[in-house]
């Protein structure tokens, strides 16, 4: 990946990833702990959390502030020390809807409430620790990690370090900074799954991160260099690429004996196990067309404004801010929106950036979107069916198999945002 | 300056490949210019005039509509003339060199005004290939006058003297090949097969040199990602049908293939008209089926001496494009394939 400038996608299309080139060399910039944090109560896929603090309560850094008795719930912790100023609905920038949040004002201290001791030799204890630490998939999916780690009959653990999004390099930076810690986290994950077969999927070149490679070798972790492609970063497609196994539609990787976890998640597991820290902060990549990529480290609940101003930039220069992937994330309506556990990226764009590609033209039926689609569906025909409310056609063209990667919109010469129709099509079928 | 904290909410993605419709059209036009240039070398100044007439007419129609829309305060339908240039060039290259210039101008006018702007305006999208539909309409009308003295001069589809040839017998077919055997390049005599492949001084302007069309077509289809399944299935089906009939009737199968695939030029039509995006199927299975049907229909019309048979076949099939989209839908990822663990 040294100096890599393009990804190659299905149908021979290329994706410009020049913004990534060399950015992994930039160290993490720590964003100052803000005076006030907004912590959304649901930062995972699954059932919602309930607040377990009330207005005026004093909380420590790492103290649990939201939880619920359900397997598909991941507790949430305060990322600062201070008092609960408010409990109110705020805009969740990833789910693109309002969610309950806890507003905490700092008192100037940073007093830590550590996790209890867990017996790391016992599989169930590791899973319990991962849940109590509030760890979710940090690649952007936010799937509860403890649910993945409690899967049975797993033969392979894949660590996804491919970081396919064009605006993200924070995982590679973390691999440079914390190789030993990442490997420790990976070993714990493997122990909880009771598997010895660990595959580290990366697009870094051999010799690029020698320390990590040496430690991996020592621990018998197989490094697989995956071809440079954006779509191959998706879990199911990565499995197909590496093992030739096609995860059946509607099923998940554990159904074929594979668990995929992100490299940053492995580091979060390490911190929970050996530092007794819940998931409170993370590394991410900040990109703007003015500065290029910067790697940042922020506390959960820090606002976008605090990040941008913390980097010394004038927020009024930008008119579009995207959380997460530039390909898959919505842009947010307010710079006061908070960053979440699984916000791997923040992008701030000036009005000039998108001007040339703002106008959507009618579909010319060129078929580019069909050619590039990594799951072999027909986005343009789905769009037509969705506009006509034709649920039968939506099913015929398998709308539910769309992985929402946005490649179809990326290549569309008429600049049509097909993704919107794919979501709406899915909703119409699921109704 | 915007109000601090208020930002534009946009759906993903926030990146674009940068390749736009206008670029696609402009590059297609440039590829066709190479074919046009080859045809001018083979066919002479008349080919050049036809191209100028077709392009000029198309541009005048476009400029007039564009100015009218601007004057009315309506956003112009086409911000750039690129797709109009493509339409004009297709018209030029799909006209017989013997056609009168005013017929070329008429086809170009109909193509841009009625079948490009008109179809888009009234049906929200194009259902019929504009150049093909215009040619069928105009030449069809003219063909009604098949009783007139000098029909070729009227740019007719049905050339009465072609009825003398019987393509259903080996003798009839071979007798008709004299047209191609007359060709020579810089004094060197060409066989009918060589002429069909390299140097045709009559027929469609776009078919001046089939080999040039073939090379340019393959490069354009690869680089610009035309619907190649239509191209492949059309050419393969035509080849199989012509070889089969050649063998069955006892004539030279190679000559038979060369005739059916390259006369016209069917080859220009296959690469640049049969793949017109809006009027052709989207599903891959539908594209294969479309190509096969197109080849069969074209072949049958050729056997009956219907000049421009491929164009008639295309317009007929365009009507059923949406039906082709229901055929052979590929299985998506994760469906019906064996899972190995
Ligand atoms: S890429 Fe765009 S223009 Fe082409 S078929 Fe798909 S939606 Fe239509
Ligand atoms: S967003 Fe859906 S339809 Fe579009 S390319 Fe990705 S998987 Fe295919």
């Amino acid at each position: 990946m040294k100096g890599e400038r393009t990804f190659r996608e299905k149908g021979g299309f290329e994706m410009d990833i020049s913004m990534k080139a060399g950015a992994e060399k930039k160290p993490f910039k720590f964003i100052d702990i803000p005076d006030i944090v907004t912590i959304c109560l649901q930062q995972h896929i699954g059932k919602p959390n309930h607040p377990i603090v009330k207005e005026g309560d004093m909380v420590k850094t790492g103290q649990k502030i939201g939880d619920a008795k359900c397997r598909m719930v991941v507790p949430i912790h305060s990322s600062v020390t201070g008092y609960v100023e408010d409990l109110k609905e705020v805009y969740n920038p990833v789910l693109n809807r309002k969610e309950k949040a806890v507003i905490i004002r700092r008192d100037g201290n940073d007093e830590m409430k550590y996790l209890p001791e867990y017996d790391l030799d016992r599989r169930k204890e590791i899973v319990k620790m991962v849940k109590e630490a509030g760890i979710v998939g940090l690649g952007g999916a936010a799937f509860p990690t403890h649910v993945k780690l409690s899967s049975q009959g797993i033969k392979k653990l894949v660590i996804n370090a491919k970081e396919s999004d064009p605006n993200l390099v924070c995982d590679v930076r973390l691999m440079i900074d914390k190789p030993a810690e990442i490997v420790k986290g990976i070993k714990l994950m493997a122990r909880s799954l009771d598997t010895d077969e660990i595959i580290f999927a990366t697009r870094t070149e051999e010799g690029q991160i020698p320390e990590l490679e040496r430690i991996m070798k020592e621990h018998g972790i197989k490094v697989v260099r995956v071809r440079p492609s954006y779509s191959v970063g998706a879990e199911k497609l990565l499995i197909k690429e590496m093992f030739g196994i096609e995860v059946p539609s509607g099923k998940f990787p554990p159904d074929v004996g594979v668990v995929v976890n992100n490299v940053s998640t492995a580091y979060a597991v390490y911190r929970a196990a050996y530092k007794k820290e819940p998931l409170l902060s993370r590394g991410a990549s900040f990109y703007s067309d003015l500065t290029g990529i910067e790697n940042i480290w922020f506390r959960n609940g820090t606002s976008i404004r605090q990040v941008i101003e913390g980097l010394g930039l004038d927020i009024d220069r930008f008119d579009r801010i995207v959380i997460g992937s530039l390909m898959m994330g919505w842009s947010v309506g307010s710079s006061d929106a908070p960053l979440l556990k699984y916000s791997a990226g923040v992008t701030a764009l000036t009005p000039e950036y998108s001007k040339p590609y703002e106008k959507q033209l009618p579909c010319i039926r060129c078929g580019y979107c069909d050619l590039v689609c990594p799951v072999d569906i027909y986005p343009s025909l789905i769009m037509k069916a969705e506009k006509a409310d034709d649920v039968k056609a939506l099913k015929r063209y398998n709308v539910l198999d769309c992985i929402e990667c946005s490649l179809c919109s990326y290549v569309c010469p008429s600049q049509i945002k097909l993704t919107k129709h794919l979501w709406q099509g899915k909703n119409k079928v699921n109704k | 300056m915007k109000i601090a904290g208020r930002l534009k909410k946009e759906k993903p993605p926030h990146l674009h490949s940068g390749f736009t419709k206008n670029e696609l059209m402009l590059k297609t036009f440039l590829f066709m210019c190479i074919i046009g240039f080859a045809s001018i070398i083979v066919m002479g100044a008349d080919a050049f005039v036809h191209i100028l007439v077709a392009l000029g007419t198309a541009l005048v129609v476009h400029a007039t509509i564009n100015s009218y829309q601007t004057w009315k305060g309506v956003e112009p339908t086409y911000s750039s003339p690129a797709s109009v240039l493509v339409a004009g060039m297709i018209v030029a290259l799909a006209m017989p060199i013997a056609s009168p210039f005013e017929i070329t101008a008429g086809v170009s006018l109909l193509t841009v005004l009625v079948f490009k702007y008109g179809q888009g305006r009234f049906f929200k999208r194009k259902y019929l290939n504009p150049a093909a539909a215009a040619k069928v309409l105009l030449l069809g009308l003219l063909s009604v006058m098949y009783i007139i003295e000098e029909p070729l001069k009227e740019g007719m589809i049905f050339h009465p003297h072609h009825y003398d040839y019987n393509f259903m017998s080996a003798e009839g077919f071979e007798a008709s090949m004299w047209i191609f055997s007359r060709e020579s390049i810089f004094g060197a005599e060409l066989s009918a097969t060589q002429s069909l492949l390299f140097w045709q001084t009559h027929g469609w302007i776009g078919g001046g040199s089939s080999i040039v069309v073939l090379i340019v077509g393959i490069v354009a289809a690869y680089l610009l990602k035309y619907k190649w399944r239509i191209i492949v299935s059309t050419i393969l089906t035509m080849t199989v049908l012509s070889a089969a009939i050649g063998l069955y009737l006892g004539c030279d199968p190679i000559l038979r293939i060369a005739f059916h695939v390259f006369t016209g030029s069917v080859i220009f039509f296959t690469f640049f008209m049969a793949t017109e995006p809006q009027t052709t199927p989207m599903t891959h299975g539908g594209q294969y089926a479309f190509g096969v049907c197109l080849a069969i229909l074209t072949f049958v019309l050729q056997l009956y001496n219907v000049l421009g048979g491929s164009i008639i076949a295309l317009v007929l099939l365009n009507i059923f494009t949406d039906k082709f989209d229901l055929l052979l839908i590929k299985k998506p990822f994760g469906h019906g394939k064996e899972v190995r663990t």
Side-chain angles (χ1 to χ4, degrees):
Chain A
M1 67 163 262
K2 279 180 202 161
E4 204 174 62
R5 299 211 161 251
T6 50
F7 275 165
R8 205 166 166 78
E9 304 305 324
K10 207 157 159 265
F13 292 92
E14 294 203 331
M15 174 183 272
D16 179 13
I17 53 155
S18 51
M19 62 175 81
K20 266 163 134 54
E24 74 281 358
K25 294 194 188 98
K26 296 186 179 175
F28 285 110
K29 286 185 176 167
F30 289 81
I31 303 296
D32 290 344
I33 307 172
D35 290 337
I36 193 158
V37 288
T38 304
I39 303 183
C40 289
L41 276 171
Q42 180 155 9
Q43 302 198 21
H44 60 269
I45 291 177
K47 301 276 181 214
N49 272 319
H50 303 300
I52 52 175
V53 288
K54 54 185 189 313
E55 210 180 308
D57 282 357
M58 289 302 294
V59 289
K60 288 184 183 173
T61 308
Q63 182 178 329
K64 213 192 268 183
I65 55 171
D67 202 355
K69 278 199 169 56
C70 175
R71 186 170 175 257
M72 282 302 283
V73 151
V74 180
I76 200 99
H77 305 80
S78 172
S79 59
V80 294
T81 300
Y83 68 93
V84 177
E85 191 175 84
D86 203 356
L87 279 143
K88 63 174 184 186
E89 297 229 309
V90 298
Y91 172 70
N92 178 319
V94 179
L95 299 175
N96 192 34
R97 61 169 186 243
K98 285 203 159 180
E99 290 282 343
K100 233 185 215 152
V102 181
I103 319 292
I104 302 168
R105 184 168 289 278
R106 265 188 87 199
D107 65 2
N109 300 314
D110 201 20
E111 217 179 307
M112 189 76 184
K113 177 153 176 33
Y114 292 99
L115 291 168
E117 278 294 328
Y118 291 95
D119 179 357
L120 299 181
D121 289 328
R122 294 180 56 206
R123 292 172 60 192
K124 276 197 175 152
E125 286 279 294
I126 299 173
V127 172
K128 203 169 155 196
M129 175 202 72
V130 167
K131 180 171 182 183
E132 283 306 302
I135 299 174
V136 296
L138 297 186
F143 191 83
T145 303
H146 68 272
V147 176
K148 279 191 182 180
L149 294 185
S150 54
S151 308
Q152 300 298 317
I154 298 304
K155 296 196 177 90
K156 296 177 171 90
L157 166 64
V158 174
I159 300 300
N160 188 354
K162 195 167 165 291
E163 204 166 45
S164 301
D165 290 287
N167 57 315
L168 305 182
V169 291
C170 52
D171 280 354
V172 180
R173 184 64 226 176
L174 193 64
M175 284 149 62
I176 296 168
D177 283 352
K178 306 281 178 193
E181 292 84 345
I182 288 170
V183 172
K184 282 187 179 168
I186 295 173
K187 295 297 280 184
L188 279 177
M189 285 175 159
R191 197 177 301 155
S192 80
L193 290 164
D194 196 22
T195 178
D196 289 332
E197 195 176 345
I198 308 170
I199 296 120
F200 191 87
T202 179
R203 54 180 188 88
T204 52
E205 283 170 17
E206 205 174 338
Q208 194 180 341
I209 314 179
E211 183 63 3
L212 180 72
E213 287 167 22
R214 185 187 60 73
I215 304 171
M216 295 262 182
K217 206 171 167 192
E218 270 173 28
H219 287 84
I221 298 173
K222 193 174 159 197
V223 177
V224 174
R225 303 195 189 273
V226 187
R227 90 185 139 88
S229 154
Y230 162 72
S231 57
V232 168
E235 268 189 17
K236 289 185 178 182
L237 296 166
L238 183 65
I239 291 172
K240 168 85 180 181
E241 177 84 6
M242 293 201 301
F243 315 120
I245 301 172
E246 203 163 303
V247 181
S249 177
K251 301 260 182 200
F252 299 96
D255 296 317
V256 298
V258 183
V259 159
V260 183
N261 271 305
N262 174 268
V263 67
S264 288
T265 314
Y267 181 63
V269 170
Y270 159 81
R271 283 177 81 115
Y274 299 101
K275 301 281 174 192
K276 305 279 166 261
E277 258 182 39
L279 181 54
L280 308 172
S281 63
R282 66 161 299 157
S285 293
F286 171 86
Y287 172 78
S288 93
D289 46 333
L290 298 176
T291 60
I293 289 183
E294 297 286 354
N295 292 309
I296 56 167
W297 199 275
F298 66 85
R299 293 263 177 123
N300 185 12
T302 306
S303 75
I304 294 163
R305 172 187 296 279
Q306 285 156 346
V307 168
I308 293 177
E309 289 177 352
L311 289 169
L313 295 166
D314 175 6
I315 196 140
D316 288 330
R317 298 281 308 269
F318 307 108
D319 78 338
R320 192 191 303 201
I321 289 175
V322 184
I323 304 295
S325 159
L326 267 181
M327 289 294 283
M328 294 164 84
W330 273 72
S331 64
V332 296
S334 163
S335 55
D336 295 324
L339 296 178
L340 311 178
K341 289 177 185 178
Y342 57 112
S343 305
V346 184
T347 300
L349 303 168
T350 61
E352 290 71 42
Y353 170 86
S354 43
K355 220 171 240 162
Y357 307 115
E358 258 173 1
K359 198 170 162 233
Q360 297 191 36
L361 299 168
C363 171
I364 53 165
R365 292 172 58 92
C366 61
Y368 281 18
C369 50
D370 307 335
L371 285 179
V372 82
C373 177
V375 295
D376 281 339
I377 59 174
Y378 293 102
S380 55
L381 292 174
I382 291 173
M383 173 174 71
K384 189 178 156 201
E386 191 278 315
K387 283 183 181 170
D389 279 328
D390 186 346
V391 174
K392 214 169 130 195
L394 286 168
K395 285 184 186 161
R396 185 193 310 127
Y397 296 123
N398 305 295
V399 67
L400 293 182
D401 287 295
C402 169
I403 58 167
E404 296 171 19
C405 66
S406 284
L407 271 173
C408 47
S409 311
Y410 177 78
V411 300
C412 175
S414 292
Q415 291 137 240
I416 299 170
K417 298 224 171 185
L418 288 130
T419 324
K420 175 184 93 176
H421 299 284
L422 294 153
W423 292 328
Q424 289 169 356
K426 280 183 172 184
N427 287 340
K428 285 179 184 170
V429 170
N430 284 329
K431 240 182 210 169
Chain B
M1 191 187 288
K2 68 190 164 45
I3 309 158
R6 297 301 304 162
L7 298 156
K8 234 199 255 170
K9 264 181 94 173
E10 290 276 347
K11 295 163 208 80
H14 308 276
L15 278 178
H16 189 265
S17 66
F19 188 74
T20 60
K21 182 188 153 192
N22 283 341
E23 199 176 332
L24 171 65
M25 291 299 151
L26 197 65
K27 286 188 173 161
T28 299
F29 175 71
L30 292 176
F31 276 117
M32 286 196 293
C33 284
I34 303 173
I35 296 171
F37 185 68
S39 297
I40 293 167
I41 293 174
V42 175
M43 293 178 167
D46 273 7
F48 183 60
V49 178
H50 275 290
I51 291 171
L52 280 188
V53 167
L55 287 178
T57 310
L59 282 176
V60 167
V61 176
H62 166 73
T64 310
I65 296 175
N66 213 301
S67 316
Y68 177 74
Q69 287 177 323
T70 311
W71 175 64
K72 277 280 191 186
V74 185
E75 195 173 350
T77 313
Y78 298 102
S79 58
S80 129
S83 69
V84 172
L85 284 173
V86 169
M89 192 58 135
I90 289 182
V91 167
L93 299 180
M95 292 306 291
I97 188 76
S99 177
F101 298 128
E102 54 274 25
I103 297 292
T104 301
V107 175
S108 187
L109 177 98
L110 270 180
T111 298
V112 179
L113 185 65
V114 178
F115 292 103
K116 192 167 170 59
Y117 272 96
Q119 268 195 102
R121 171 91 169 75
F122 293 107
F123 299 100
K124 299 279 179 267
R125 85 158 229 238
K126 283 178 246 148
Y127 285 89
L128 301 179
N129 182 305
K135 197 172 164 188
V136 167
L137 182 68
L138 191 69
L139 302 189
L141 287 176
L142 290 173
S143 298
V144 175
M145 307 180 293
Y146 71 95
I147 31 173
I148 56 174
E149 279 284 295
E150 285 190 87
L152 263 180
K153 281 217 172 106
E154 305 302 334
M156 289 167 53
I157 284 182
F158 303 105
H159 294 226
H161 70 279
H162 280 234
Y163 284 126
D164 300 340
Y165 307 133
N166 178 8
F167 291 152
M168 298 296 277
S169 75
E171 302 75 40
F173 174 74
E174 266 145 33
S176 69
M177 288 300 106
W178 65 270
I179 308 171
F180 303 104
S181 319
R182 290 176 314 174
E183 308 283 13
S184 63
I185 308 178
F186 308 119
E189 287 282 315
L190 296 176
S191 70
T193 307
Q194 286 167 337
S195 158
L196 279 159
L197 196 55
F198 297 109
W199 197 272
Q200 295 181 66
T201 54
H202 76 290
W204 287 27
I205 296 167
S209 176
S210 297
I211 192 76
V212 172
V213 180
L214 201 60
I215 294 166
V216 172
I218 290 170
V219 175
Y222 175 73
L223 291 178
L224 302 179
K225 304 187 197 305
Y226 294 165
K227 293 176 177 169
W228 61 266
R229 290 170 184 85
I230 297 177
I231 302 171
V232 169
S233 54
T234 306
I235 294 178
L236 274 182
T237 310
M238 285 291 274
T239 307
V240 170
L241 289 175
S242 24
I245 203 156
L247 291 170
Y248 175 72
L249 295 176
C251 35
D252 175 5
I254 300 297
L255 180 58
R256 199 82 208 203
I257 293 170
F259 172 72
H260 287 286
V261 177
F262 296 123
T263 192
S265 157
V266 173
I267 199 74
F268 169 76
F269 158 85
T270 308
F271 276 99
F272 292 96
M273 294 179 80
T275 57
E276 197 280 326
Q278 289 211 32
T279 54
T280 48
M282 300 290 290
T283 60
H284 296 173
Q287 288 171 18
Y288 282 125
F290 187 88
V292 170
C293 294
L294 185 63
I296 294 172
L297 259 178
T298 303
F299 187 77
V300 170
L301 291 169
Q302 280 179 345
L303 289 183
Y304 287 98
N305 299 330
V306 180
L307 295 191
S310 51
I311 289 201
I312 296 170
L314 180 63
V315 173
L316 278 176
L317 287 175
N318 279 166
I319 299 166
F320 300 101
T321 285
D322 286 349
K323 298 279 174 254
F324 281 100
D325 277 340
L326 301 174
L327 296 175
L328 305 166
I329 295 159
K330 63 187 169 184
K331 275 191 180 158
F333 181 91
H335 281 251
K337 285 167 201 163
E338 204 52 30
V339 176
R340 292 183 287 114
T341 55

